[in-house]
Each structure stands twice: as structure tokens, then as C-alpha cells.
Amino acid sequence: MRRPLLLLLLLLPLAACDDMTAQPKRNAYADPSVAPGRVPTDSVSWRDHSTAPPPLTLALIERGQQRFRIDCTPCHSELGDGNGMIVQRGFPQPPSYQEDRLRAAPPQHFYDVITNGHGAMYSFAQRVAPEDRWAIAAYIKALQRSQHAAIADLTAAERAALP
Amino acid sequence: MAAIFRPSANLAAKVVLLGMAALLAGGTGWWLVWPRTDWSRRVGWVIDQPVPFSHEHHVAGLGIDCRFCHTSVEVSSNAGMPPTYTCMTCHSQIWTNAELLAPVRESLAQGRPIAWNVVNDIPQYVYFNHSIHIAKGVGCASCHGSVDRMALTYKASSFTMQFCLNCHRDPGPNLRPKEAIYDTEWHRTADTPSPAALMQQYGVPNRDLTDCSICHR
């Protein structure tokens, strides 16, 4: 008589079975509060205070190139002439970065345009972190320079290699 | 006294017993196999969304990078969904009167985010992280398929444990060069560095990636 009762007791742990797919636990990787629908969250805080420009390095400009190609080329194009794909589909045309006014503008101006937007261009403060804004500004300055290089910018060896 | 059962009852009893055994075996098989089939996991099923957003138009047609919208994929466990503001970056000027985009404009006006329906999902007891995969050269397409050809987004892989393990056992052949991670049409060519070279380049450690504690903590 005792044995069957003990065996029945063994069934008790089954009471702990539940649906593992939805566990009320702290999961640093998956936030259950966004289920069942996916509600967007802001990854970079809105209009955060400005930071000082970092030192100019090749790594900074390369980072800027990568970020520029993600966030800016759809409208400004890779050349910065303001003829990107979205402009070809009817978006108002932005000014070319080769305009004298923009060539004379300091990096701070580009930083501010990214942070606050400009006319028809929305702010990118939410999408581009402050360090990346400086990187993009540095890249745009390099882009402007690259399209206005003079013979005097070349080293003697490079000048000798010219045809 | 007449027999209670006729001889044919023997046969009936055998059939019933066999039938019960078959039912049990079939039921167990079904219980084990069915949840892992592509059909029950809705692989390839289009999910209805509040706005019929098309990756085909925006990615393949307009050449927008994944990170324009899924901003946190490189740095966080979640890829992140674009807020309405991101859509309005362009749609404040383009297709401003389209009926299709009414929910987007409404969402901005009322400050209420659009709730997109879940397409890809893994259970809560599995820990998953996007950033490590992107940092180590796993492309979006290895898990999400040809997103740039999806007029409406659907799930491209089953996301069973086997799916994850197939790669974790030997990631090398699935890794790609840095510049191809967001290119959903990329294929290994003769110029691609060898799997071993890529493992070396990304510094994928020589440890057991199939260890249970990597995904179940």
C-alpha cells in the first residue's frame, strides 16, 4: 500500500512543468516588455549635450566614411553633391558640399546640422552618437578637400610619378 | 456454458492493442517532430504589419543600409526597430499623401510608436545577441535570408536549436569579410579568404561554441 503512494509522490515534480518559452526572468539579452509587438526604442538620447571634438586621426575619418555612407548617402550621395537616390525620387535637393559657403564652414557646423537638422532635413541626434557626428564632420571635410586637391598638395615623389 | 467471446474476438483484441501502440508511437513522434517542422514554425509565412513596409523597395530599390533603420545591431543584443521619426526623415517629403502611410503620420502626430508584429522569435530561455555575430563576421543573410527581396518580411530560417548549432559547430565557412556583412546577396567566391583565415582574422576563439551555457544561462 505504501509503495504506490510513494510512486504517486514522484509525480509531484511534474507540477513544476510550465511553458519555457515565456519565462518571467531577467534576461539582459531579450527584453520581454516589448512583446508581443515590437515597439521601437531610442538608442541614443535625444539632443544630448555636445562633446569636444576628438583628435583628428585616420581612424576617425574612416569611421566617418562608414557612418556617412550609412546615414547620409541616401540623400547627399557618396560624392556629397546632393544627388542621392532619395533626391532622385523627389526629395528636395540638398546643397552640394562643394559650395564655397560649406567649404568654409568649420566641423562644428556639420556637427550642429546632424544634431539639430536643417530645414527639410530631420535631426539625426537619435541615430548618430556624438562621437560619430565628429567623425562624419571630419570625413566631410576630407571629402571636400579631396575634390579640390592642388598640385602643391602632392609630395615631390608623387609629382614625379604624374604623366 | 457458451463462450463469452467468439474466436474472432482474439483478432479484434490484437488489432486494438496494435492500434493503441501505433497511436502512442505516432503521437509521441508527432509531439517531438511537429514543433520542429518549418510549417509549424511559420518559415516563409508573411506576417501582416500595420504598414506594408517593403524591404525590397527600401533596401534593393533605394540602397538604404540596414543600419539606417536597425541602428543598434552592431552594439546591442537587439537590432532595434526604427522609430516613426526615422520613417518621417523621408516620408515628410515623399509620398506624403499616400493612404498606405497614414498610420505612420498618425503615429508621429500622436507621439505613439507603431507596434510592429514579431517576425523572428526565439524562446525566452535562449540568450541571443546580435552584436557578437556582426562583430565576428556573420552576415544578416545567414539568419534572415534575402531580406532585400522580401516585399513583406517573413522568417527565413527555422531558429531551432539545430539551426544555431549547425553553425556553432564550425563557424568558419559561414563567416564573411567585413564589407559583405550587410550585403544579403553575397556569396563565397574564389577571392574570399579561406574559412581558417577568416576565423583567424576575427579572432574566433578555439573554444567549444556548442557548450550549453553559451545559449542557456
Side-chain angles (χ1 to χ4, degrees), chain A residues 59-122:
Chain A
L60 183 78
I61 293 179
E62 279 171 349
R63 172 76 184 170
Q65 180 183 48
Q66 189 209 41
R67 292 289 121 180
F68 181 84
R69 293 198 169 154
I70 296 167
D71 284 312
C72 317
T73 44
C75 299
H76 289 274
S77 95
E78 290 202 2
L79 298 174
D81 61 6
N83 250 327
M85 195 54 155
I86 310 301
V87 175
Q88 292 169 31
R89 297 298 169 100
F91 203 87
Q93 176 147 17
S96 164
Y97 290 154
Q98 301 307 334
E99 267 183 14
D100 289 340
R101 179 177 61 86
L102 287 174
R103 289 214 309 126
Q108 181 71 47
H109 178 65
F110 298 94
Y111 184 98
D112 291 341
V113 170
I114 300 174
T115 313
N116 303 317
H118 189 94
M121 175 181 150
Y122 271 33

Side-chain angles (χ1 to χ4, degrees), chain A residues 20-21 29 36 38 67 127, chain B residues 74 77 89 116 118 124-125:
Chain A
M20 293 204 302
T21 53
Y29 278 176
R38 279 198 164 120
R67 292 289 121 180
R127 283 165 268 181
Chain B
E74 287 171 301
S77 61
T89 303
W116 301 100
V118 175
Q124 292 267 299
Y125 56 81

Side-chain angles (χ1 to χ4, degrees), chain B residues 134-147:
Chain B
I134 308 308
K136 298 295 174 117
V138 181
C140 310
S142 297
C143 296
H144 296 304
S146 299
V147 174

Side-chain angles (χ1 to χ4, degrees), chain B residues 6-54:
Chain B
R6 273 181 271 153
S8 61
N10 278 342
L11 185 67
K14 274 181 198 152
V15 167
V16 167
L17 278 177
L18 268 177
M20 271 159 62
L23 210 66
L24 196 70
T28 318
W30 180 257
W31 181 56
L32 285 174
V33 173
W34 166 248
R36 286 166 186 74
T37 55
D38 283 359
W39 176 262
S40 80
R41 284 173 175 271
R42 320 210 154 172
V43 175
W45 288 28
V46 162
I47 310 281
D48 272 337
Q49 300 289 359
V51 182
F53 174 81
S54 161

